[in-house]
Structure formats: C-alpha cells, structure tokens
Amino acid sequence: GPADHSLAVRTIAVTTLDTMAFDPASVSVGSGEVVTFVVTNHGRATHEFTLGDAQMQAEHAEAMGHMPEGMHHELPNSIAIEPGATETLTWRFGPAGALEFACHEPGHYDAGMRGAITVG
C-alpha cells in the first residue's frame, strides 16, 4: 500500500514514452520493501503510472474508459504525469508475486504501455 516517502529504502526512476512504453520495462523489488518511483514524462502526451495486479489493472482500465478525456482521479496507487512533469509515488510492497505498472490514458494500455514488477 501507499507509504511515506521518508520510509523509502530505494528510488526507482521511470520514464514514460510516447511510443507507449516505460523505461525501464520491468523492475524487481523485495517483499515488504518501500520504494519511491520517480516518474518523468519527456513526451507530449499525458501518461499515467498505476500499480497493481492484472485484475486491478483491468478494473482500472474499465473505470478509466468511462471518464471524460483529460479528467484524472485521485487514487493512492496511481499518478497522472503531464508532459514535461515529474511525479512521485511511494509504495510498500506486500508478499512475493507479480504486479504491473501501467498507463490507462485512452488507448495506451491496449497499445502495450505496461511494465512488470517482480516482488520477491
């Protein structure tokens, strides 16, 4: 779940790309580790960085499909990053497993804008 930035033991820099990708495309974290993601958008489109398992990502994509374009939400596991901006998200990871980070701006997830998180 969400955590205070001061508890982070590591920072992971992520870049959103207008080619519908993230750099890096995958990361590994430890079970119980607190990580701050520093997400920078060097592109011209608004992007999103949402953490969750595959089921949560599908539910979030469905909800985003009903939101008016340009409208954003306030969720503890998701940030919107405007062009040229940098945003942060600090998260405490739970038990070992597989999670994703993804962008659910219209058409982005379907175009492959997602990455893998291995929690070990």
Side-chain angles (χ1 to χ4, degrees), residues 58-96:
E59 291 168 2
H60 186 69
E62 173 70 20
M64 285 289 289
H66 299 290
M67 292 181 77
E69 191 166 334
M71 186 174 185
H72 296 285
H73 44 74
E74 297 285 330
L75 297 172
N77 66 323
S78 184
I79 53 175
I81 309 99
E82 297 295 327
T86 298
E87 302 290 341
T88 62
L89 178 67
T90 302
W91 199 256
R92 179 184 306 275
F93 288 90

Side-chain angles (χ1 to χ4, degrees), residues 36-80:
T36 295
F37 292 92
V38 178
V39 187
T40 302
N41 183 350
H42 290 297
R44 294 187 296 204
T46 298
H47 291 294
E48 178 181 77
F49 183 84
T50 299
L51 296 174
D53 62 17
Q55 179 180 343
M56 193 256 40
Q57 296 290 357
E59 291 168 2
H60 186 69
E62 173 70 20
M64 285 289 289
H66 299 290
M67 292 181 77
E69 191 166 334
M71 186 174 185
H72 296 285
H73 44 74
E74 297 285 330
L75 297 172
N77 66 323
S78 184
I79 53 175

